[in-house]
Amino acid sequence: MKSLWNDQEAAKFSGDLAQRVYSSRLLGRDPSLVLHGGGNTSVKVKEINVFGEEEEILCVKGSGWDLETIEAAGFSPCRLAHLLRLAGLPALSDLQMAKELKGCLTNPAAPMPSVEAILHATLPGKFVDHTHADALISITNTAAGRQRVNEVYGDRVVCIPYVMPGFKLARLCAELFRQHSHPGTVGLVLMNHGLFSFGDTAKIAYERMIELASMAEDYLARNNAWKLPASTLTAPTSSHRAELAAFRRELSGAMGGPAILTTHSDAAALAFAQRADVGEISQQGPATPDHVIRTKRLPLVGRDLAAYRIAYSDYFTGLAAKSGQQLTMLDAAPRVIVDRELGVLTAGRTAKEASIASDIYHHTMDIVLRATALGGWKALPAADIFDVEYWDLEQAKLRGAGRAPGFAGEIALVTGAASGIGRACVDSLLKRGAAVVGLDINPAITSLCARPDFHGITCDLTQQASLAAALEEAVRKFGGLDMLVLNAGIFPPGATIAEMSLELWRKVMNINLDANFLLMREAHPLLKLAPNGGRVVVIGSKNVPAPGPGAAAYSASKAAVNQLARVAALEWGRDRIRINSLHPNMVFDTALWTPEILASRAKHYGLSVEDYKTNNVLKTEVSSRDVAELAAEMCGPLFAKTTAAQVPVDGGNDRVI
Ligand code: ZN
């Protein structure tokens, strides 16, 4: 591991807190040190209080901040004297501690200080750094872990046996540090948890952390436990979407609402899943208590997904029994599932949660494999994990969090999503919390939005194989399908029936009608498994109720889709799938309408462009966003009791009215 410290860069951060920000970000940049909000840092500074007295303040990372992107405002200023007095108490419950931490802030608007604040206060050195370095965790999660720590560091660190994060840990660290530290002590090893380093400058504390983590890496390398065997395994090509969607439904039931389930069939995940000892090494629990906090629940392993339903309930009942505690969890579902054929599956209440679980588990696999190579992976006992998962602070956080509103945990698929109404539908659905898959023949779809809850797939909807592959990819990405927005379509240049070629007619029918039929047929088994019932929205056209001359193919294709949707409403009602259509008209902010075409059409009717755009009963302009918002609402509770409706979104059209 290399130090990322750069004197020139560092010089731009003047003052203690700014230096703290700089080196915290360096730690945050390395995912093998800290992951997703893990780890914490502090600096001790002096402030003049309102009475004109100088006071020592511990600025410690506040909750909700990530080291990689932390700002000065992310550090919570706690009165140091108060923290040190707390450290001297014989006991303090977690909830009392949380109250005291909040109470000793000099700025009540600051974020909640890290639960490790008291521990930071008791350590010497102006700057204190704390990470969950992967290499150290590999070493401490082995049978002879304690002895190995000695081999790595000698007496340069004080080694603390595993205790759950919180007041007890802070107290134990303070006591053991007092007893065992000496002038040459540079840090603390927390068994099964991580490293602390400290120093009088940000650079010293940071570089000691890098040195300590590097020593752990070197130790693994010396013992042939650093380099992991390369794997060339690739994702299975057979179809798994039906069983994945069925499993996601089970999982959603256990999680108390729709869940995102992401399949990771990368070489590392498959190699791990196919190990003969995977059942043993994956079932011992997470690598550090921090990983329990950040992902909830533990991995499960099995051969076929159907078996998990029983597996996970048994597993958690067993865990509760072992710890001798009453089972009061909010949900019993796993967040990581290991499957021999598919690799690693991660679940979350949102796509972001599932992606965090994946990052953490990919690190966990490396940690486990290195520990195994070192002589045997041995994680925390089940009771300790149970304690972390159900400790007061975590439960309070969960109770406070509740379920996200809207479409959180649900998956929507939009066709023709790269531009116009389709693109607007993507935005409206994302805004409501859904994970969205966008399909388009335009390859630009794959880079439409870079966020964990969007996935773009290039797809030719008229090709059955391309469509099936897209659905398979969508389900592997998010776990199933709850909402389908049929938007893709073409509007060919005007032609009368007398002059229309059969080729053009067939092309329009192929895209506007046949492709939608195919997609509906293929999506039906998935929509049937939607935890809250499936929803389909058809982007129809004013041409359905009021066709126009010169648009025979377009009007006929849209009318046919409309009829298809009505039949689907009749057939799919028993599967709790509702299907509604909306009929937009004169939506000009799409790729179809260039300023030139707009000007020429306006001229054709003898109107100005402005009058042409608002040429409807309400004299209002209809935008893609208006259509998209209605489409999204049709998937929501407002339309929960409605199927086969056709709603115009056209500003009022006298031919339709
Ligand atoms: Zn920690």
Side-chain angles (χ1 to χ4, degrees), residues 116 130 132 193:
E116 281 161 334
H130 169 49
H132 307 125
H193 178 162

Side-chain angles (χ1 to χ4, degrees), residues 272-484:
F272 184 81
Q274 290 178 13
R275 283 178 64 104
D277 60 354
V278 66
E280 196 190 319
I281 60 177
S282 70
Q283 291 309 287
Q284 290 194 27
T288 105
D290 187 63
H291 290 179
V292 188
I293 295 166
R294 266 158 248 283
T295 59
K296 314 291 171 218
R297 316 305 170 257
L298 308 169
L300 285 167
V301 64
R303 262 166 217 283
D304 77 294
L305 294 173
Y308 289 127
R309 189 172 162 193
I310 303 119
Y312 66 72
S313 57
D314 281 0
Y315 185 72
F316 282 96
T317 315
L319 190 58
K322 270 188 230 169
S323 74
Q325 295 188 38
Q326 198 76 42
L327 205 59
T328 54
M329 61 185 101
L330 292 180
D331 83 63
R335 297 298 192 266
V336 180
I337 299 99
V338 182
D339 181 81
R340 254 175 239 292
E341 201 179 351
L342 289 167
V344 169
L345 286 64
T346 59
R349 284 160 192 265
T350 61
K352 191 172 176 204
E353 276 185 25
S355 131
I356 290 175
S358 159
D359 287 348
I360 289 180
Y361 205 66
H362 276 83
H363 279 266
T364 301
M365 289 188 289
D366 288 356
I367 291 169
V368 169
L369 293 178
R370 291 193 171 117
T372 304
L374 195 58
W377 165 249
K378 190 169 175 291
L380 291 170
D384 283 326
I385 295 157
F386 191 90
D387 282 349
V388 173
E389 201 161 355
Y390 297 104
W391 67 329
D392 289 350
L393 293 180
E394 275 301 295
Q395 290 291 300
K397 223 192 292 173
L398 282 176
R399 275 191 296 272
R403 277 203 72 79
F407 297 149
E410 295 200 281
I411 301 124
L413 187 143
V414 180
T415 64
S419 63
I421 292 172
R423 164 81 219 242
C425 286
V426 170
D427 292 340
S428 292
L429 290 159
L430 285 173
K431 197 173 74 187
R432 285 165 174 79
V436 181
V437 176
L439 303 191
D440 207 293
I441 196 156
N442 178 356
I445 189 68
T446 56
S447 51
L448 188 70
C449 9
R451 41 190 285 174
D453 49 1
F454 177 80
H455 187 65
I457 304 171
T458 313
C459 175
D460 180 350
L461 293 167
T462 63
Q463 301 302 311
Q464 207 168 333
S466 174
L467 200 146
L471 281 177
E472 183 73 19
E473 188 176 331
V475 173
R476 292 206 194 176
K477 181 70 189 176
F478 293 131
L481 186 61
D482 303 277
M483 295 169 269
L484 178 61

Side-chain angles (χ1 to χ4, degrees), residues 117-118 218 282 355 379 530 612:
I118 299 177
D218 294 345
S282 70
S355 131
Y612 178 66

